[in-house]
Amino acid sequence: MGVLAWIVGLVLAVGMLGAGSSKLRGVPAMEESRVRFGLSAGLWRMIGALEVLSAPGLIIGLLTNDNNAEWIGFLAAVGIVALLIGAIVYHARAGDAPKEMMPAGVMLVLAVLYIVFIGAR
């Protein structure tokens, strides 16, 4: 299960880093989403910062083999789950089609798998 945890963790970390940095840089597609969702620029940047900061937490959780530090990865993944549930809710409120919610849904599944895999080590 260790290899699966690494694969899921790395894909999730890269995805969160990409999404968060896009929000922080003000990529036009992300700004359009922010406006459509009715979120303030400050809240949007905070979400982006949390997404970026979750990536090192996930990696730390994978690098440690003792139970004293795996909690960092666990908490990062739990935070990601909360962010992604919020993202899906905002997509639904905006009337987005399921295909527009798909990236958040896939990342949500990966976050849950990460929690399962890191807990099984």
Side-chain angles (χ1 to χ4, degrees), residues 27-67:
V27 171
M30 287 295 197
E31 281 299 305
E32 289 172 16
S33 293
R34 178 188 71 77
V35 170
R36 195 174 71 250
F37 297 152
L39 298 175
S40 71
L43 178 58
W44 196 248
R45 283 191 303 273
M46 184 171 51
I47 292 168
L50 290 170
E51 290 173 341
V52 168
L53 291 172
S54 70
L58 294 168
I59 301 303
I60 290 169
L62 291 170
L63 289 173
T64 59
N65 283 327
D66 71 47
N67 290 330

Side-chain angles (χ1 to χ4, degrees), residues 84-95:
L84 292 171
I85 289 171
I88 291 169
V89 167
Y90 273 90
H91 276 288
R93 286 182 182 171

Side-chain angles (χ1 to χ4, degrees), residues 75-90 108 111-112 115:
L75 289 178
V78 169
I80 290 168
V81 167
L83 282 171
L84 292 171
I85 289 171
I88 291 169
V89 167
Y90 273 90
L108 177 61
V112 170
I115 291 168

